Amino acid sequence: MSEKLSIIDVNRLFDLQTFTGRFKYYAWMTDPRTVVVSNERLLQAKQMVDNYRAGKQKDNLNPEEVKYNLKLYYSAFHPDTGELQNFAGRMSFQVPGGMLITGGMLAFYRTVSAVVLWQFLNQSFNAVVNYTNRNANSPTSVTQLGLSFVSATTAALVAAIGCKNYWSKNASPFLQRYVPFAAVAAANCVNIPFMRQNEIINGIEVKNADGEVVGQSRLAAIKGISEVTISRITMAAPGMLLLPVIMQRLEKLPAYRRIKWINAPFQTLMVGCFLCFMVPTACAIFPQQCSLNTSTMRTFEPELYKDMVQRTGDKVPNRVYFNKGL
């Protein structure tokens, strides 16, 4: 890599092979303060990155300015296509967006209408996030987008209303506080695979260690989607599992009970505190660039393995690499 390109290489700034390095990288990239940066400023950051990649950038920027521009670029642009993501899909919006919606789900869970409203809002947000952070080499049609949204929303509502009805008759009011988490977990298991079903059906591009595309793999897609699903549930778990315990104790305090209006804002703020730590933690569990042993492909998807053999001239690498998405 040339000296100029190394300046914009995030591997120079963070060790993405370790959990600690990935945590620092995602904490840097998901910084919610950058969510208020204008599109014009974001495009300037992208221009700097493009200029460095093309070898046109003048060496008159200090390192901190380069790092800040990189931060803006990775927080708002798709890593594969370079397109500016919509506001809700940006990595910098994960904490404030998740904070508002999760806080609403936790605060307003007692009636069916409230459950329906907040699960609808949550799945709308998830659909945008899943689409904008997909593997961009697998296009998704409008029909598939609609189907995944309806399926995920249905799964969330079935889980939420089903748990609510069952627990209202067979469990304590405390357990009913976990209705939102049950819905979120169920919906993530539906929303992400449906949103990225093309990857499962057709496979995604896999590369060798040098970054050259050597074939397609459905197993790679399944592995990537599974890891993203686990990360999303992990991201939501601490806030949605611990806050009910905190709230049960707080609501017994006379001082807290006298100011009922503080319930929703307090829970929203607490969720935000959890997410500031859990968003980078959950994203860092698995490497962004995943790998797959080609012997597994040979066993479970022989037709794609044969295609890889032909494309590589019978020089199939031991492992192939791919972007799992976020």
Side-chain angles (χ1 to χ4, degrees), residues 1-191:
M1 181 178 289
S2 70
E3 185 177 347
K4 277 196 172 185
L5 282 178
S6 67
I7 294 175
I8 60 169
D9 180 20
V10 293
N11 290 283
R12 181 181 63 87
L13 301 172
F14 307 97
D15 182 4
L16 300 183
Q17 300 305 311
T18 66
F19 173 81
T20 302
R22 291 194 297 272
F23 174 84
K24 291 178 180 178
Y25 167 64
Y26 286 112
W28 172 76
M29 184 175 67
T30 60
D31 183 350
R33 292 174 298 177
T34 62
V35 80
V36 296
V37 175
S38 68
N39 284 354
E40 182 181 2
R41 181 64 182 86
L42 293 173
L43 291 171
Q44 289 176 2
K46 182 178 186 298
Q47 186 64 52
M48 185 217 72
V49 173
D50 290 343
N51 286 343
Y52 266 111
R53 288 174 175 169
K56 299 177 182 179
Q57 180 63 43
K58 297 179 181 180
D59 297 323
N60 59 352
L61 296 179
N62 65 59
E64 288 303 313
E65 187 175 354
V66 172
K67 187 175 180 180
Y68 182 67
N69 279 308
L70 272 178
K71 181 180 188 175
L72 295 180
Y73 176 79
Y74 282 104
S75 70
F77 292 88
H78 194 283
D80 292 337
T81 65
E83 65 182 346
L84 179 62
Q85 296 175 324
N86 63 66
F87 189 79
R90 296 174 189 174
M91 293 305 295
S92 55
F93 191 67
Q94 294 308 295
V95 171
M99 175 179 75
L100 292 172
I101 293 175
T102 306
M105 287 192 293
L106 289 172
F108 307 106
Y109 66 92
R110 290 181 173 85
T111 66
V112 172
S113 59
V115 169
V116 171
L117 172 63
W118 284 102
Q119 289 303 325
F120 175 80
L121 293 174
N122 184 46
Q123 291 316 309
S124 299
F125 178 62
N126 284 344
V128 172
V129 171
N130 293 336
Y131 176 72
T132 53
N133 292 288
R134 71 201 184 284
N135 184 307
N137 295 317
S138 300
T140 305
S141 69
V142 175
T143 301
Q144 290 169 328
L145 289 175
L147 181 61
S148 63
F149 171 74
V150 171
S151 301
T153 304
T154 301
L157 292 177
V158 168
I161 296 174
C163 288
K164 178 174 178 56
N165 289 339
Y166 179 78
W167 288 343
S168 64
K169 300 174 183 177
N170 301 282
S172 66
F174 172 69
L175 273 182
Q176 294 177 44
R177 292 179 181 269
Y178 289 108
V179 166
F181 179 70
V184 166
N188 272 321
C189 292
V190 175
N191 196 333

Side-chain angles (χ1 to χ4, degrees), residues 173-215:
F174 172 69
L175 273 182
Q176 294 177 44
R177 292 179 181 269
Y178 289 108
V179 166
F181 179 70
V184 166
N188 272 321
C189 292
V190 175
N191 196 333
I192 299 172
F194 262 96
M195 187 63 69
R196 299 174 58 178
Q197 61 186 288
N198 267 5
E199 299 176 35
I200 299 173
I201 296 170
N202 302 317
I204 59 175
E205 289 183 349
V206 291
K207 303 176 181 180
N208 60 20
D210 296 323
E212 300 168 341
V213 177
V214 293

